């Protein structure tokens, strides 16, 4: 390009100044440029214009289709100025270039074919054929390039939509636009066109299944997941946001039992399911998108309810035959029952049972049951039965319910009255008032109503030749016994009556019991002094020798008491004496003895007063005045018959009493020794080597004495008693009236006949509840 330009320039200079190239240099020629940069220079020797610096047409002329450099040729001799223009010709040294490398287009998928979309054309600094001559678009079935505007000089290109877009198939399309110039070789430039298909709500939500089938236990708790629905919408944004809800065909009852999560599509239990109410449910669910004009999809959820064993069997009592007579035969029908269970299958199969050990059994026929008797009934053992009937189904786990059937057993008169005691013992003090309460006879009858109503009566009999009714009476309704007369211990000590108790059944039944009535002695007799005797006007006379020593027996007071027991225990007291220190009396024997030897100057007579007191409560006593005469010799003194004895017959009577008393004492003593020997031999042979305490017989038991005592028996002359009675006048705890607890009889006779019974109490401690009688 420079050589061609230089040749032209040389020709041009010659023609301009009409001189040879060598002359140009001689004339001082030079080139000036108005642009300030010297792209060309003049070679004066040849007159040639040379390229001094590489020229860039695009930089010099930018987008001008032609590019000229303006120069001035200055010749100094003579001065000449010539304007020179040098045209810079274009070469294809620039490729086409788009304003942007990426073009982003948003086209709605609802755009119709034929829609046009403008794109900026590429730029090429070259001109002419070196500029952009053509555009190429990457293959696409949706878009084409319209070059009519480009060919007419427009700088905008147009993309034309050939087929409808579908965002769901292709949401983004990448196109490549290529601009090609006309150089040789041609150059090109490319731009990336990204077409994002803008969604429109043209797709309704769709479930992955049209029908969902689910099995659910009826005892599922609220909140249990039934099924998770899945509906998809290929649209995007709000057009693809799905909201789940019940369809319009879903019944209100189903809406109460189930719930649908609007966002997750989870169907959950919301209420209490009951297989017995409905075995399946149909739930219609719709999925709705959130587009401007929302679209909806539908599905159906079929929920099959699986029966759970949630209903206990129910026992219904249809008939009850109560009361049942206690003599009913085995197999008698008592009740009819029916059993129902609302479950199904094995959960509906029910079995019944009753507790073991009852006189009843169950018979079944399908769902009906009969309760019948089994064995003998007894009203007295059980007047009624609460029979618990348990119904159990065959579910897993099994459920059961209970029904209590109350069966009364009616009574028949099959039991006679029964007394509370096998025998009754009553103790009543003598001299009781008329109508005194004796005891209460109590009999019970295990029957009921009139069969258990008991009336009391006395069986006919005689007591000492008199009817029983003349001694005691009994109230027929209460069994209270009363004394008809006043009893005297000294006349009648014990007797027995027979009481009959009879119920009011048909026929009536009865039983009897024996009542032993013991008359308890009262202290109603004062002691009777047998010896010495005195009259109201004179004292008894006793004599002692003047030579009497200390302990000399002056006399012995002999007394008896018509009572018995401790009421007959006698104690002797010296209540008055003219010489207090000379005489003493034995408390239990009544022996009066001297305490010292008599002096020579002692008075000829001494006056004593002796009191005999029994052990009753209150005690009774008798006293006697005794005159003791001191004589030289007792045999020479003739007693005053007027003071001691009224007549020889009185003296003989006293002597007879003394003989009888001594004989009785001897006889009792001998009899006691023989009896004890026999008893000891018998016990030895009975118990073998069992040791018996010497001189004692031990009696154990709950007696009337609160402590254990040792008793010594002293029998006076004329004593014929062989009975000791230990009794308690207060009676046992809880009873009214007189009673005795223990009665022991030993070796004494009838007190109060002809001799005295004297018992001496000695406080020797022995084991409690043990009585020892030394002989």
């Amino acid at each position: 390009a420079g050589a061609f330009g230089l040749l032209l320039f040389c020709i041009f200079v010659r023609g301009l100044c009409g001189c040879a190239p060598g002359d140009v240099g001689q004339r001082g020629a030079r080139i000036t440029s108005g642009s300030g940069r010297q792209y060309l220079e003049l070679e004066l020797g040849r007159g040639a214009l040379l390229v001094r610096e590489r020229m860039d047409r695009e930089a010099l002329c930018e987008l001008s289709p032609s590019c000229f450099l303006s120069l001035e040729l200055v010749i100094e001799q003579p001065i000449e100025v010539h304007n020179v223009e040098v045209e810079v010709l274009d070469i294809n040294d620039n490729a086409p270039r788009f304003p942007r490398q990426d073009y982003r287009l948003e086209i709605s998928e609802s755009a119709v074919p034929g829609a046009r979309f403008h794109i900026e054309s590429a730029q090429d600094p070259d001109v002419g054929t070196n500029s952009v001559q053509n555009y190429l678009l990457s293959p696409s079935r949706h878009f084409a390039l319209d070059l009519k505007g480009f060919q007419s000089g427009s700088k905008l290109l147009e993309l034309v939509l050939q087929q409808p877009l579908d965002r769901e198939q292709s949401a983004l399309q990448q196109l490549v636009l290529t601009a090609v110039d006309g150089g040789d070789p041609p150059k090109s430039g490319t731009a990336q066109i990204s077409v994002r298909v803008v969604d429109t709500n043209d797709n309704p939500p769709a479930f992955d299944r049209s029908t969902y089938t689910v099995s659910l236990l009826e005892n599922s708790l609220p909140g249990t997941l039934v099924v998770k629905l899945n509906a998809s919408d290929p649209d995007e944004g709000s057009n693809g946001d799905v909201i789940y809800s019940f369809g319009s065909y879903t019944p209100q009852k189903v809406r109460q039992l189930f719930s649908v999560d609007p966002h997750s599509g989870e169907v959950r239990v919301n209420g209490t399911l009951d297989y017995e109410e409905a075995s399946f449910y149909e739930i219609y669910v719709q999925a709705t998108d959130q587009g401007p004009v929302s679209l909806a999809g539908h599905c159906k959820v079929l929920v099959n309810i699986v029966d759970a064993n949630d209903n206990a069997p129910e026992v219904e009592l249809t008939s009850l035959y109560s009361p049942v007579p206690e003599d009913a035969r085995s197999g008698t029908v008592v009740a009819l029952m029916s059993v129902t269970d609302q479950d199904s299958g094995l959960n509906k199969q029910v079995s019944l049972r009753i507790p073991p050990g009852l006189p009843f059994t169950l018979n079944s026929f399908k769902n009906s049951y009969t309760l019948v008797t089994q064995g003998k009934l007894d009203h007295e053992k059980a007047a009624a039965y609460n029979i618990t009937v348990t119904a159990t189904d065959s579910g897993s786990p099994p459920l059961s319910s209970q029904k209590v059937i109350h069966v009364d057993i009616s009574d028949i008169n099959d039991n006679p009255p029964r007394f509370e005691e096998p025998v009754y013992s009553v103790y009543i003090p003598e001299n009781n008032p008329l109508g005194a309460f004796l005891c209460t006879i109590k009999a019970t009858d295990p029957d009921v109503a009139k069969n258990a109503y008991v009336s009391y009566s006395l069986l006919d009999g005689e007591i000492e030749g008199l009817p029983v009714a003349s001694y005691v009476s009994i109230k027929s309704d209460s069994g209270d016994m009363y004394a008809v007369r006043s009893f005297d211990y000294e006349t009648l000590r014990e007797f027995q009556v027979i009481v009959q108790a009879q119920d009011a059944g048909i026929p009536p039944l009865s039983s009897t019991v024996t009542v032993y009535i013991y008359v308890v002695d009262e202290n109603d007799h004062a002691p009777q002094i047998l010896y010495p005797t005195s009259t109201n006007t004179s004292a008894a006379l006793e004599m002692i020798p003047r030579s009497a020593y200390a302990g000399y027996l002056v006399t012995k007071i002999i007394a008896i008491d018509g009572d018995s027991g401790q009421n007959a225990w006698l104690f002797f007291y010296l209540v008055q004496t003219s010489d207090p220190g000379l005489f003493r009396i034995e408390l239990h024997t009544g022996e009066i003895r001297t305490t010292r030897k008599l002096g020579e100057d002692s008075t000829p007579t001494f006056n004593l007063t002796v009191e005999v007191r029994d052990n009753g409560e209150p005690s009774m006593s008798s006293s006697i005045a005794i005159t003791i005469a001191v004589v030289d010799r007792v045999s020479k003194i003739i007693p005053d018959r007027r003071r001691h004895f009224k007549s020889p017959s009185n003296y003989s009577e006293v002597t007879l009493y003394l003989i009888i008393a001594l004989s009785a004492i001897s006889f009792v003593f001998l009899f006691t020794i023989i009896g004890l020997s026999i008893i000891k031999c018998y016990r030895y042979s009975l118990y073998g080597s069992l040791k018996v305490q010497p001189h004692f017989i031990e009696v154990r038991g709950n007696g009337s004495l609160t402590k254990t005592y040792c008793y010594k028996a002293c029998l006076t002359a004329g004593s014929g008693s062989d009975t000791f009675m230990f009794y308690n006048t207060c009676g046992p705890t809880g009873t009214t009236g007189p009673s005795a607890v223990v009665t022991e009889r030993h070796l004494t006779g009838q007190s109060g006949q002809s001799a005295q019974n004297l018992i001496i109490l000695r406080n020797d401690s022995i084991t409690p509840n043990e009585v020892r009688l030394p002989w």
Side-chain angles (χ1 to χ4, degrees):
F4 180 74
L6 177 59
L7 176 61
L8 292 177
F9 187 71
C10 289
I11 295 175
F12 173 75
V13 171
R14 288 176 184 171
L16 181 63
C17 61
C19 59
D23 294 338
V24 174
Q26 294 176 0
R27 291 183 64 180
R30 56 184 176 88
I31 295 297
T32 62
S33 174
S35 62
R37 293 186 65 175
Q38 294 295 326
Y39 290 100
L40 301 174
E41 65 181 356
L42 181 62
E43 185 179 352
L44 296 178
R46 293 186 300 164
L49 188 61
L50 302 178
V51 177
R52 181 182 179 184
E53 183 180 353
R54 182 176 176 81
M55 293 176 289
D56 186 359
R57 194 198 69 83
E58 288 77 25
L60 293 174
C61 300
E62 295 182 355
L63 299 179
S64 176
S66 60
C67 182
F68 295 93
L69 290 177
S70 296
L71 302 175
E72 288 184 351
L73 176 62
V74 179
I75 300 174
E76 294 180 354
Q77 296 176 7
I79 296 176
E80 294 180 7
V81 177
H82 299 278
N83 292 324
V84 180
E85 286 185 352
V86 177
E87 181 179 3
V88 181
L89 300 177
D90 180 52
I91 62 174
N92 192 20
D93 59 347
N94 290 282
R97 187 175 183 180
F98 288 93
R100 289 179 293 176
Q101 293 296 318
D102 294 320
Y103 289 91
R104 299 182 183 276
L105 299 180
E106 292 185 354
I107 302 175
S108 173
E109 64 176 334
S110 62
V112 298
R116 294 175 177 270
F117 306 95
H118 297 283
I119 298 177
E120 295 176 334
S121 61
Q123 296 180 1
D124 193 335
D126 297 329
V127 295
T129 59
N130 293 330
S131 63
V132 178
Q133 298 299 316
N134 194 15
Y135 288 93
L136 301 176
L137 185 65
S138 60
S140 172
R141 64 187 181 90
H142 292 96
F143 293 96
L145 191 61
D146 187 1
L147 297 178
K148 293 180 180 180
F150 169 71
Q151 293 174 356
S152 64
S154 175
K155 292 185 178 182
L156 296 177
L157 301 177
E158 288 184 332
L159 283 177
V160 180
L161 182 64
Q162 298 292 324
Q163 293 182 5
L165 297 175
D166 189 350
R167 191 201 67 81
E168 289 71 37
Q169 293 182 358
S170 178
L172 180 64
Q173 297 190 20
Q174 298 288 345
L175 304 176
V176 178
L177 180 62
T178 304
V180 182
D181 61 17
D184 186 18
K187 293 186 177 181
S188 63
T190 60
Q192 188 78 23
I193 300 176
S194 298
V195 180
R196 189 177 73 85
V197 181
V198 179
D199 180 58
T200 59
N201 194 21
D202 58 345
N203 292 282
F207 289 93
D208 51 4
R209 281 183 286 178
S210 61
T211 301
Y212 295 84
T213 302
V214 181
S215 295
L216 188 66
L217 287 173
E218 66 170 326
N219 57 358
S220 299
L221 298 177
T224 301
L225 178 64
V226 178
V227 65
K228 188 179 187 309
L229 303 177
N230 184 25
S232 59
D233 192 326
D235 297 327
E236 67 175 357
S238 60
N239 296 331
D241 292 340
V242 178
I243 299 299
Y244 300 90
S245 62
F246 286 112
S248 59
Y249 295 102
T250 303
Q252 185 63 31
K253 177 64 176 179
V254 176
R255 296 171 184 261
Q256 296 173 356
L257 295 177
F258 299 93
S259 65
V260 178
D261 189 283
H263 301 289
S264 65
E266 293 179 347
V267 179
R268 294 184 179 273
V269 178
N270 192 44
T272 301
L273 304 178
D274 191 355
Y275 173 84
E276 290 69 36
E277 183 178 343
S279 60
F280 70 93
Y281 295 94
E282 289 184 349
I283 306 174
Y284 295 91
V285 181
Q286 66 179 11
T288 307
D289 60 27
Q290 301 301 301
V293 178
S294 60
L295 301 177
H298 299 84
C299 75
K300 180 173 70 173
V301 180
L302 181 60
V303 181
N304 293 316
I305 305 301
V306 179
D307 181 42
N309 193 24
D310 59 343
N311 290 280
E314 295 182 0
V315 179
E316 181 180 359
L317 183 63
T318 57
S319 297
L320 178 63
Y321 305 99
S322 178
V324 180
E326 63 176 328
D327 59 347
R329 293 183 301 174
S330 180
T332 301
V333 177
V334 177
L336 299 178
M337 295 167 288
S338 62
V339 183
T340 59
D341 194 319
Q342 297 180 2
D343 295 323
S344 61
L346 289 176
N347 300 333
K348 190 179 181 68
Q349 297 180 8
V350 181
S351 61
L352 263 65
R353 71 178 187 275
I354 60 176
L358 296 177
F360 299 94
T361 187
L362 288 171
N363 295 330
S364 64
F365 178 74
K366 294 184 178 181
N367 290 333
S368 297
Y369 290 83
T370 58
L371 180 67
V372 299
T373 60
Q374 183 183 35
K376 182 175 177 57
L377 303 177
D378 190 350
H379 172 83
E380 287 69 43
K381 291 183 179 179
Y385 290 92
N386 287 322
I387 305 172
T388 302
V389 179
T390 302
T392 305
D393 59 27
S394 300
S396 180
L399 297 180
S400 62
S401 64
Q402 293 182 339
K403 179 76 172 181
V404 179
I405 302 177
H406 182 80
V407 179
D408 292 316
I409 308 300
S410 61
D411 180 56
I412 62 173
N413 193 26
D414 57 347
N415 292 280
R418 297 176 183 175
F419 291 95
E420 294 182 348
E421 301 291 339
V423 294
Y424 287 84
S425 296
V426 180
Y427 298 88
I428 180 171
E430 63 175 334
N431 305 319
N432 58 283
L434 297 180
F437 175 76
L438 296 178
C439 67
T440 298
I441 306 301
K442 185 66 175 177
T444 58
D445 194 320
D447 297 325
V448 295
K450 65 179 182 179
N451 295 333
Y453 179 77
V454 180
S455 60
Y456 303 90
S457 63
L458 296 173
L459 293 185
D460 294 337
E462 292 184 354
I463 301 174
E464 294 188 347
L466 297 177
V468 172
S470 63
Y471 285 83
V472 294
S473 65
I474 188 169
K475 293 186 69 174
S476 61
D477 56 346
S478 64
D480 294 338
M481 291 186 65
Y482 299 93
V484 177
R485 62 169 60 186
S486 179
F487 302 113
D488 185 7
Y489 175 81
E490 288 71 30
T491 303
L492 179 64
R493 297 191 176 186
E494 63 180 62
F495 61 93
Q496 65 185 38
V497 296
I498 298 177
V499 177
Q500 175 180 271
Q502 181 175 288
D503 59 27
I506 299 176
L509 300 178
S510 63
S511 59
T512 60
V513 69
T514 301
V515 181
Y516 294 93
I517 300 175
Y518 299 95
V519 180
V520 180
D521 180 47
E522 290 284 320
N523 193 25
D524 57 348
H525 292 84
Q528 179 183 357
I529 300 175
L530 300 179
Y531 180 85
T533 60
S534 64
T535 61
N536 293 332
T537 58
S538 62
L541 177 62
E542 294 293 339
M543 295 176 290
I544 60 172
R546 191 177 298 277
S547 61
Y549 52 86
Y552 179 82
L553 176 62
V554 177
T555 186
K556 179 179 179 64
I557 307 300
I558 299 175
I560 61 174
D561 196 313
D563 299 319
S564 64
Q566 65 179 2
N567 294 329
W569 297 354
L570 301 182
F571 302 93
F572 300 87
Y573 301 94
L574 191 60
V575 297
Q576 186 177 0
T577 177
S578 58
D579 191 347
L582 182 58
F583 300 97
R584 63 180 176 84
I585 188 171
E586 292 292 335
L587 178 64
H588 303 294
T589 62
E591 294 178 348
I592 300 176
R593 296 180 181 271
T594 59
T595 59
R596 67 177 184 272
K597 181 176 174 54
L598 295 177
E600 294 294 335
D601 55 350
S602 60
T603 58
T605 60
F606 297 93
N607 295 319
L608 305 177
T609 301
V610 177
E611 182 183 61
V612 181
R613 189 182 306 162
D614 60 23
N615 197 40
E617 186 64 36
S619 63
M620 303 182 70
S621 63
S622 299
S623 61
I624 186 173
I626 302 174
T627 299
I628 300 176
V630 180
V631 298
D632 292 334
R633 288 193 308 178
V634 176
S635 58
K636 294 182 179 181
I637 299 300
I638 300 175
D640 187 356
R641 295 177 180 269
R642 291 177 301 175
R643 294 181 61 185
H644 292 280
F645 303 103
K646 293 182 179 180
S647 63
S649 61
N650 291 335
Y651 179 78
S652 300
E653 184 179 352
V654 172
T655 303
L656 179 62
Y657 287 157
L658 290 176
I659 294 173
I660 292 174
L662 291 176
S663 298
I665 292 173
S666 300
F667 174 76
V668 170
F669 178 75
L670 181 59
F671 180 77
T672 301
I673 296 301
I674 295 174
L676 286 177
S677 300
I678 294 174
I679 292 174
K680 287 184 177 181
C681 293
Y682 174 74
R683 289 190 175 182
Y684 182 79
S685 63
L686 182 63
Y687 296 105
S689 60
L690 178 64
K691 294 183 179 181
V692 180
Q693 279 190 332
H695 311 298
F696 289 94
I697 295 178
E698 298 184 3
V699 180
R700 299 177 182 269
N702 293 324
S704 63
L705 301 179
T706 59
K707 295 183 179 179
T708 300
Y709 299 95
C710 180
Y711 297 93
K712 177 181 179 182
C714 297
L715 304 180
T716 60
S719 175
S721 175
D722 61 354
T723 300
F724 289 113
M725 178 180 290
F726 304 101
Y727 61 92
N728 182 4
T729 57
C730 297
T733 305
T735 62
T736 305
S739 63
V741 179
V742 176
T743 302
E744 299 289 347
R745 300 171 180 265
H746 301 283
L747 290 179
T748 55
Q750 299 293 327
S751 175
Q753 295 178 356
S754 60
Q756 172 191 10
N757 180 8
L758 182 61
I759 298 179
I760 313 301
L761 181 63
R762 187 174 63 199
N763 290 329
D764 293 340
S765 178
I766 307 179
T767 306
N769 296 331
E770 181 177 297
V771 178
R772 295 181 179 182
L773 298 180
W775 304 104

